PDB file of all heavy atoms in Angstrom:
ATOM      1  N   MET A 286      11.376 -15.564  13.430  1.00  0.00           N
ATOM      2  CA  MET A 286      12.126 -15.492  12.167  1.00  0.00           C
ATOM      3  C   MET A 286      11.875 -16.716  11.318  1.00  0.00           C
ATOM      4  O   MET A 286      11.799 -17.901  11.791  1.00  0.00           O
ATOM      5  CB  MET A 286      13.642 -15.505  12.576  1.00  0.00           C
ATOM      6  CG  MET A 286      14.584 -15.356  11.318  1.00  0.00           C
ATOM      7  SD  MET A 286      14.471 -13.965  10.393  1.00  0.00           S
ATOM      8  CE  MET A 286      15.238 -12.716  11.495  1.00  0.00           C
ATOM      9  N   ASN A 287      11.503 -16.534   9.997  1.00  0.00           N
ATOM     10  CA  ASN A 287      11.247 -17.672   9.113  1.00  0.00           C
ATOM     11  C   ASN A 287      12.541 -18.383   8.828  1.00  0.00           C
ATOM     12  O   ASN A 287      13.609 -17.801   8.611  1.00  0.00           O
ATOM     13  CB  ASN A 287      10.623 -17.081   7.833  1.00  0.00           C
ATOM     14  CG  ASN A 287       9.843 -18.181   7.084  1.00  0.00           C
ATOM     15  OD1 ASN A 287      10.456 -19.282   6.861  1.00  0.00           O
ATOM     16  ND2 ASN A 287       8.580 -17.947   6.825  1.00  0.00           N
ATOM     17  N   THR A 288      12.454 -19.685   8.944  1.00  0.00           N
ATOM     18  CA  THR A 288      13.717 -20.470   8.743  1.00  0.00           C
ATOM     19  C   THR A 288      13.869 -20.934   7.223  1.00  0.00           C
ATOM     20  O   THR A 288      14.774 -21.555   6.908  1.00  0.00           O
ATOM     21  CB  THR A 288      13.551 -21.783   9.559  1.00  0.00           C
ATOM     22  OG1 THR A 288      12.439 -22.521   9.260  1.00  0.00           O
ATOM     23  CG2 THR A 288      13.608 -21.449  11.013  1.00  0.00           C
ATOM     24  N   GLY A 289      12.818 -20.532   6.418  1.00  0.00           N
ATOM     25  CA  GLY A 289      12.916 -20.804   4.995  1.00  0.00           C
ATOM     26  C   GLY A 289      14.003 -20.035   4.289  1.00  0.00           C
ATOM     27  O   GLY A 289      14.654 -19.161   4.920  1.00  0.00           O
ATOM     28  N   LYS A 290      14.056 -20.145   3.041  1.00  0.00           N
ATOM     29  CA  LYS A 290      15.068 -19.447   2.182  1.00  0.00           C
ATOM     30  C   LYS A 290      14.268 -18.647   1.036  1.00  0.00           C
ATOM     31  O   LYS A 290      13.442 -19.261   0.317  1.00  0.00           O
ATOM     32  CB  LYS A 290      16.090 -20.409   1.588  1.00  0.00           C
ATOM     33  CG  LYS A 290      17.107 -19.614   0.800  1.00  0.00           C
ATOM     34  CD  LYS A 290      18.211 -20.646   0.367  1.00  0.00           C
ATOM     35  CE  LYS A 290      19.277 -20.061  -0.510  1.00  0.00           C
ATOM     36  NZ  LYS A 290      20.274 -20.934  -0.970  1.00  0.00           N
ATOM     37  N   ASP A 510      10.927 -12.295   5.595  1.00  0.00           N
ATOM     38  CA  ASP A 510      10.292 -13.327   6.106  1.00  0.00           C
ATOM     39  C   ASP A 510       8.766 -13.444   5.640  1.00  0.00           C
ATOM     40  O   ASP A 510       8.337 -14.496   5.443  1.00  0.00           O
ATOM     41  CB  ASP A 510      10.306 -13.197   7.698  1.00  0.00           C
ATOM     42  CG  ASP A 510      11.586 -13.457   8.410  1.00  0.00           C
ATOM     43  OD1 ASP A 510      12.416 -14.138   7.776  1.00  0.00           O
ATOM     44  OD2 ASP A 510      11.818 -12.967   9.557  1.00  0.00           O
ATOM     45  N   ILE A 513       8.998 -14.980   2.187  1.00  0.00           N
ATOM     46  CA  ILE A 513       9.267 -16.426   2.326  1.00  0.00           C
ATOM     47  C   ILE A 513       7.900 -17.094   2.724  1.00  0.00           C
ATOM     48  O   ILE A 513       7.586 -18.194   2.099  1.00  0.00           O
ATOM     49  CB  ILE A 513      10.314 -16.763   3.422  1.00  0.00           C
ATOM     50  CG1 ILE A 513      11.617 -16.226   2.918  1.00  0.00           C
ATOM     51  CG2 ILE A 513      10.363 -18.160   3.713  1.00  0.00           C
ATOM     52  CD1 ILE A 513      12.801 -16.222   3.973  1.00  0.00           C
TER      53      ILE A 513
END
Side-chain angles (χ1 to χ4, degrees):
M286 181 67 69
N287 200 308
T288 57
K290 185 177 180 181
D510 284 343
I513 291 169

